[in-house]
Amino acid sequence: MKRLVRLAFPVFVPLGFFGLLAVVITWPLVLNFDTMIPVGTGGDAWVHQWTFWWLKKAILEGENLLYTHLLFYPDGVSLTSHNVAWLNFALWFPLQALWGNTIAYGLMFLIIFTLNGCSGYWLAQKLTGSFSAALVAGVIYETWPYLTSQQGHPNMPIIMWMPLALLFLLRTFEERRVRDALLTGLFIALTGIGRWQLLILFGLGFGLFFLYYFVSNKGYRTRQMLLLYGLIGLVAILIMAPLGWPMLEAQLTRDNPEEIFVKEYFQGSDLLAYVIPNSHITLWRWLVFQLPQSLQFHFDRVDFIGHVTLFLAGAGIWLRWAKARPWVLLGGFYFIFALGTDFRFGNAIYSWVPMPYRWIEDLSIIRVIRYPHRFNTFMSLPVAILAAYGVLGLWEHWSFRLLSSATQSLWVGLLILLIVGEHWMFPYRMSTIDVPTWYQQLAQSPDKFGLLGLPLDHRGRDKDYMRFQMTHGKPLAQGHISRPTSDAYALLQSTPFLALLQEKSQLNPHLGDITHQLRPLAEANVGYIILHKEYATEKEMREWREWLLYRPRYEDEQVVVYSTTPRHGEDYELPTPITTEIGLIRADSNLDALEGRTTQGGTLQVTAEWGTVAEPEQDLHVCLYIADAPPHGTDPADVNASEPNASDANAPDTKSENKGVAERPCFVLGTEWPASEWSANELVRDQYNHQMSPFIPPGAYTLSMGLEERNRRVGVPIHLGSFEIEALPRVMEAPSVSFPLQASWGSRLRLIGYDLAILEPTKADKNENEEHGSEIQLTLIWQATQRMDHSYKFFVHIFEADGSDGNGEKIAQHDGVPRNWSYPTTWWEEGEYVVDTIHLKLGGENPGGLNSGQKLELHIGIYDEATGERLPGYSAQNQPLAEDVLRIGVTE
């Protein structure tokens, strides 16, 4: 019996102790086993849940484990680069068969933390030979805050294999037994199978640890030992090969390796975060919020080590230096690289500090790790072992062994309580696996079709849609996997509508070809678009509803569901039919915004939402009719209704139809997607902008809209509103001018004269901008000698006069349409005077100002905006101007 107890003690006592500790650090998980699971804030827990669900489904249905059509439907996506938590799944799979998914997932965390504590304990027991010291090491290793805060990444805390691999490596060194080498290789392999990123992190530390012992002891470099080392590597490779080779092969054949080796920035640890508690630490939380903002750390991951732990590790280095050296080397390695590319101290970045991580950050294998702070994962082991040495050294230093067993146990218990208290995050972050009602109902449908959830967010909300998929089982047009190939997004990049949603989770409201944009989804058998109210802003929901035009198939407090194949009579109606095939859902104009009043040259804007019942039989145009208002007391709609239909046999010609119409701009029906390509059940939103003539007579008008075929009206125009057009303010009498001129260009424009002022910068301007210099304000007074059908640009160049026939240095220039591009020459009435003021900032060698008496020369000319051809210029004496440029001398 005693022998049995001796054999069981090293295994079952640690299992029991660290199992209870796992319950404590995840409290109150055990009270919610059947309703909640541990989750992080990023939603990765749902990805792991989905992965377990998929692997189970694939196994039971005989499908390929590493390819799924349930994400990125219809083509599907390879899971070879996906973060598959194989060991977590191996724990979860039999447990869920007994107790279901939720309980199994929670038990998985308890088992992982328990084994972490046990493995740390077993290694420390071998190194120190002390139960108390080993117990402390196990507690630190199990409750390491960086890992217990990884609720959303269940395969990050799987670090029980590193202590065991090092334990059996040390036994291989000492005993030279094949069994120990085999077990070393096994535990290395299990680290990789648990998570390939952990293999890299662990492998770097394991290699450093191995190198230390290999170099420091000649006996470890014999032929027999080299064979054992080869056996370790061979065993590790063979065990990992079945799962590792498909992944490696897939990555080697990728068209773009950068999809895997992505470089992440600004993800190192803050040096102060190791010693200043994170706000997630329960017992320290009250103090954290009293600290200055720069000393507060609220990361979801917790880098804090704990003051008691740091004290014990420091004591171990001080009191057991000879034994501590390899662990100092290992701990220092992980610590230095966990700081990352840029040195951080108190939430501030000091980029000028040289960081070792910069030496390795561009290596492909390091990019796979993604975040430098992940080196903190395995810093836990050297810190735990150093703390164990610290306990051992302090006990001897303080003659601890002279105390009674009860007193010793009391002190060890107190030490453990302090460590756990500094690491404890209560309550453990958990969530229920809630699913909207519609998805639960959808699970009953036997039909196969895909779904697209909005908002699209590969890094966030798509993970929730994968959570819902575990209930409804329908394929998703999106998804979240680790490092998908660019091909996975083929459907989501097939239209501008989808591409913008996929890239920025934004909607382009100007895309009017609604059903055309949705067609790739429908053709891919993606049956529904689901708007999630909880995840979208009110603005997003409003924009999506307005853009989609038609009625949802389902709506409750959680979701709004739209079909990707809207149908007339089921999803939308046409309250205003125009032809037997086409009608209007709604038409709006900007007349309300203009308050029924605009000026000559004003812009009218009409938005029309079109729908079809059948395929249009002809090419159509949309025309806006700006017509004289009917006599007072007549309903404009009645006037439009009385107009003849071009489809009638005796319809009059276009001229008769448009009697009384002042302007009739027409547009192709379907600006982005012509009606000639429409079929039945199409939905299109068009916008028509028309700038009225600046010479349209002022008065009362109506605005109507109708369809035409070959300049013949089809159907009855729709009255959109009435409005007033006011005359543009025009100057028809010559204004006063300081410097009269009579230069002219062509037979169209005359320069009556100009005013000029030189504005010096104020003191405030100089203080605001050291280069703020003098400015010339030039006012040109023009007269239109006739109406113009071309828009002309005016240029003014200012030169320093050099006293010769040539020009001096150009110090300022202006090219533009009059009145700051707001009053083109096509708007000018015959005989109208136009005052155009131009501001020219002086440059050249003296931008700060002009010298007294300085001579300048102004060059003025006109050219066609479309062709760049200059208008011929003439002086007041009707003599041609050299180069068609008027030259004016000015003296300051």
Side-chain angles (χ1 to χ4, degrees):
M1 185 64 180
K2 289 183 178 179
R3 185 170 180 273
L4 185 62
V5 172
R6 284 199 304 271
L7 292 174
F9 184 87
V11 176
F12 291 104
V13 170
L15 283 172
F17 174 80
F18 291 112
L20 288 173
L21 183 56
V23 171
V24 172
I25 63 176
T26 60
W27 192 264
L29 176 60
V30 293
L31 299 181
N32 300 275
F33 261 160
D34 57 343
T35 58
M36 305 182 79
I37 65 168
V39 297
T41 57
D44 285 350
W46 309 128
V47 178
H48 287 283
Q49 277 271 298
W50 179 92
T51 305
F52 294 171
W53 171 78
W54 162 252
L55 292 175
K56 174 186 173 182
K57 179 180 176 67
I59 290 171
L60 297 180
E61 298 179 6
E63 298 189 40
N64 184 349
L65 298 179
L66 296 178
Y67 201 94
T68 180
H69 285 89
L70 292 179
L71 300 180
F72 298 100
Y73 182 75
D75 295 330
V77 67
S78 170
L79 300 178
T80 51
S81 64
H82 185 49
N83 180 16
V84 180
W86 293 108
L87 290 179
N88 296 77
F89 176 73
L91 284 172
W92 174 86
F93 190 67
L95 292 173
Q96 62 82 32
L98 295 173
W99 295 296
N101 168 53
T102 308
I103 293 178
Y105 197 81
L107 281 173
M108 178 186 69
F109 274 79
L110 295 186
I111 293 171
I112 290 170
F113 288 132
T114 299
L115 293 180
N116 284 350
C118 289
S119 63
Y121 165 85
W122 289 326
L123 177 60
Q125 175 69 31
K126 171 180 173 48
L127 294 172
T128 65
S130 167
F131 172 75
S132 299
L135 206 62
V136 169
V139 169
I140 293 172
Y141 199 61
E142 179 175 355
T143 64
W144 189 248
Y146 180 82
L147 294 174
T148 57
S149 63
Q150 300 279 341
Q151 297 95 331
H153 305 98
N155 59 346
M156 277 300 289
I158 295 189
I159 59 169
M160 69 284 292
W161 313 122
M162 184 178 188
L164 297 177
L166 295 183
L167 171 62
F168 285 97
L169 176 65
L170 291 173
R171 287 188 177 182
T172 303
F173 286 146
E174 297 168 359
E175 306 294 335
R176 292 173 167 77
R177 292 185 302 193
V178 171
R179 181 183 67 184
D180 294 324
L182 290 173
L183 288 172
T184 303
L186 170 65
F187 293 127
I188 293 173
L190 289 175
T191 301
I193 294 172
R195 183 167 183 152
W196 301 113
Q197 290 172 331
L198 292 183
L199 179 64
I200 299 172
L201 293 167
F202 165 70
L204 294 170
F206 182 88
L208 187 63
F209 187 86
F210 170 82
L211 190 63
Y212 174 86
Y213 279 93
F214 183 81
V215 171
S216 62
N217 193 316
K218 185 178 180 181
Y220 298 159
R221 300 195 293 272
T222 64
R223 182 175 179 274
Q224 178 190 8
M225 294 301 296
L226 292 177
L227 290 174
L228 290 174
Y229 302 150
L231 181 61
I232 291 172
L234 180 63
V235 168
I237 291 172
L238 290 177
I239 294 175
M240 289 187 293
L243 295 175
W245 175 248
M247 179 192 70
L248 182 60
E249 182 182 30
Q251 309 327 317
L252 292 175
T253 56
R254 277 194 182 227
D255 295 333
N256 184 11
E258 290 300 314
E259 292 173 345
I260 290 293
F261 306 116
V262 177
K263 186 175 180 180
E264 306 279 0
Y265 294 92
F266 308 120
Q267 293 293 337
S269 292
D270 191 301
L271 182 60
L272 277 183
Y274 289 116
V275 295
I276 295 180
N278 188 288
S279 62
H280 294 289
I281 303 291
T282 304
L283 297 182
W284 287 107
R285 192 173 297 145
W286 65 273
L287 177 61
V288 170
F289 289 104
Q290 311 304 317
L291 298 173
Q293 197 69 34
S294 61
L295 300 182
Q296 293 185 21
F297 297 99
H298 308 287
F299 309 128
D300 291 331
R301 71 171 199 276
V302 179
D303 297 337
F304 179 61
I305 294 176
H307 302 135
V308 175
T309 300
L310 284 172
F311 170 76
L312 292 175
I317 296 172
W318 180 260
L319 299 173
R320 288 289 186 272
W321 172 247
K323 294 184 178 295
R325 280 181 295 185
W327 302 101
V328 172
L329 176 65
L330 191 60
F333 166 79
Y334 283 116
F335 168 73
I336 288 296
F337 286 104
L339 295 176
T341 305
D342 294 311
F343 181 69
R344 286 171 170 73
F345 189 86
N347 287 309
I349 298 176
Y350 300 90
S351 300
W352 55 269
V353 178
M355 300 298 290
Y357 195 86
R358 295 176 187 170
W359 306 337
I360 64 171
E361 64 175 329
D362 290 323
L363 298 176
S364 295
I365 196 169
I366 297 300
R367 290 190 180 188
V368 172
I369 296 170
R370 295 182 63 196
Y371 305 121
H373 62 71
R374 286 180 171 164
F375 279 88
N376 288 314
T377 301
F378 288 113
M379 190 168 71
S380 53
L381 185 60
V383 170
I385 297 302
L386 290 173
Y389 282 130
V391 170
L392 196 63
L394 291 173
W395 285 179
E396 293 181 358
H397 183 72
W398 290 336
S399 302
F400 179 78
R401 292 177 180 174
L402 299 179
L403 301 175
S404 66
S405 297
T407 305
Q408 290 182 24
S409 299
L410 182 64
W411 277 105
V412 172
L414 178 62
L415 195 58
I416 289 173
L417 282 176
L418 290 173
I419 293 170
V420 174
E422 284 199 310
H423 291 175
W424 196 31
M425 285 168 275
F426 171 82
Y428 205 58
R429 195 157 43 210
M430 298 178 292
S431 175
T432 56
I433 310 178
D434 56 311
V435 178
T437 304
W438 185 75
Y439 288 117
Q440 298 175 36
Q441 298 173 358
L442 188 63
Q444 310 305 316
S445 172
D447 300 331
K448 183 179 179 181
F449 49 81
L451 307 173
L452 176 69
L454 295 182
L456 272 168
D457 182 4
H458 176 65
R459 304 294 297 182
R461 295 310 174 191
D462 289 0
K463 302 173 186 179
D464 290 291
Y465 308 149
M466 292 166 68
R467 165 166 53 113
F468 305 152
Q469 187 184 49
M470 291 186 290
T471 295
H472 62 70
K474 306 299 181 186
L476 298 176
Q478 68 237 76
H480 176 96
I481 70 164
S482 306
R483 301 296 188 252
T485 61
S486 55
D487 295 341
Y489 296 98
L491 177 61
L492 297 179
Q493 289 288 324
S494 60
T495 66
F497 160 68
L498 291 172
L500 188 60
L501 282 174
Q502 190 269 321
E503 293 167 3
K504 299 183 179 180
S505 192
Q506 295 178 1
L507 173 71
N508 182 353
H510 301 296
L511 293 173
D513 49 339
I514 312 300
T515 45
H516 189 220
Q517 295 289 330
L518 296 178
R519 185 146 298 142
L521 291 175
E523 292 175 348
N525 195 31
V526 176
Y528 296 100
I529 296 175
I530 303 96
L531 312 184
H532 295 83
K533 296 181 180 180
E534 179 183 358
Y535 307 143
T537 65
E538 291 184 8
K539 180 175 181 290
E540 287 174 331
M541 288 297 299
R542 183 174 63 254
E543 288 178 348
W544 290 335
R545 284 176 178 272
E546 290 176 355
W547 187 83
L548 286 166
L549 290 183
Y550 53 100
R551 295 188 296 267
R553 291 281 178 92
Y554 175 91
E555 180 172 3
D556 60 21
E557 293 180 353
Q558 297 168 302
V559 298
V560 187
V561 181
Y562 286 89
S563 170
T564 58
T565 55
R567 304 207 174 272
H568 175 257
E570 183 177 3
D571 300 293
Y572 67 92
E573 306 294 340
L574 297 178
T576 311
I578 305 296
T579 73
T580 56
E581 300 92 10
I582 300 175
L584 272 170
I585 299 173
R586 185 173 65 243
D588 295 312
S589 71
N590 65 338
L591 292 182
D592 287 341
L594 296 173
E595 297 181 348
R597 190 175 300 274
T598 186
T599 60
Q600 293 171 313
T603 299
L604 296 180
Q605 183 181 87
V606 175
T607 300
E609 297 173 355
W610 301 96
T612 66
V613 177
E615 181 178 346
E617 296 181 353
Q618 67 267 58
D619 290 329
L620 297 170
H621 285 74
V622 177
C623 295
L624 302 181
Y625 305 111
I626 303 168
D628 297 330
H632 182 70
T634 305
D635 188 343
D638 293 337
V639 174
N640 289 327
S642 67
E643 294 186 9
N645 191 317
S647 62
D648 295 338
N650 299 317
D653 59 20
T654 304
K655 185 175 182 181
S656 299
E657 286 183 339
N658 294 320
K659 184 178 180 181
V661 174
E663 294 189 9
R664 175 181 154 271
C666 292
F667 311 83
V668 174
L669 176 59
T671 309
E672 299 170 356
W673 182 33
S676 58
E677 300 178 19
W678 295 5
S679 60
N681 300 305
E682 302 287 11
L683 291 170
V684 175
R685 177 188 289 106
D686 259 354
Q687 188 174 90
Y688 315 109
N689 295 309
H690 170 63
Q691 187 174 55
M692 293 180 293
S693 167
F695 308 112
I696 187 172
Y701 289 86
T702 63
L703 174 64
S704 303
M705 179 179 70
L707 294 180
E708 293 189 6
E709 180 192 13
R710 297 178 182 177
N711 295 324
R712 293 286 187 138
R713 291 188 185 178
V714 178
V716 179
I718 301 160
H719 176 71
L720 298 176
S722 301
F723 64 104
E724 293 281 339
I725 296 180
E726 299 176 345
L728 279 171
R730 301 181 186 274
V731 177
M732 305 306 290
E733 295 184 4
S736 61
V737 59
S738 301
F739 302 96
L741 295 168
Q742 286 298 325
S744 61
W745 279 264
S747 59
R748 302 171 179 84
L749 289 160
R750 182 180 297 121
L751 181 59
I752 302 302
Y754 70 94
D755 291 326
L756 185 143
I758 297 177
L759 308 177
E760 297 295 338
T762 65
K763 186 176 181 180
D765 292 332
K766 290 182 177 179
N767 291 337
E768 183 178 339
N769 185 352
E770 292 182 359
E771 296 184 0
H772 194 108
S774 298
E775 179 179 280
I776 290 181
Q777 178 178 289
L778 177 65
T779 300
L780 303 174
I781 295 89
W782 300 91
Q783 185 184 29
T785 53
Q786 65 180 52
R787 285 189 184 179
M788 290 164 274
D789 55 5
H790 289 264
S791 175
Y792 295 105
K793 292 178 72 175
F794 300 175
F795 68 82
V796 178
H797 297 171
I798 300 181
F799 295 87
E800 286 185 310
D802 60 0
S804 66
D805 293 339
N807 297 323
E809 181 187 8
K810 184 192 295 184
I811 60 174
Q813 73 175 53
H814 169 83
D815 288 58
V817 172
R819 293 183 182 173
N820 195 25
W821 299 82
S822 68
Y823 202 56
T825 54
T826 52
W827 284 34
W828 296 13
E829 181 60 272
E830 181 178 348
E832 178 182 0
Y833 294 90
V834 177
V835 178
D836 185 26
T837 300
I838 300 168
H839 294 267
L840 301 104
K841 295 184 181 298
L842 298 179
E845 296 181 358
N846 185 26
L850 294 173
N851 298 321
S852 178
Q854 185 174 357
K855 293 184 178 180
L856 303 176
E857 190 168 85
L858 277 62
H859 292 191
I860 302 173
I862 302 173
Y863 61 93
D864 191 308
E865 183 179 3
T867 65
E869 183 180 353
R870 288 187 182 181
L871 277 180
Y874 302 92
S875 68
Q877 293 75 33
N878 205 29
Q879 297 297 313
L881 298 174
E883 298 178 338
D884 299 314
V885 173
L886 175 66
R887 292 168 171 81
I888 302 173
V890 177
T891 301
E892 164 59 356

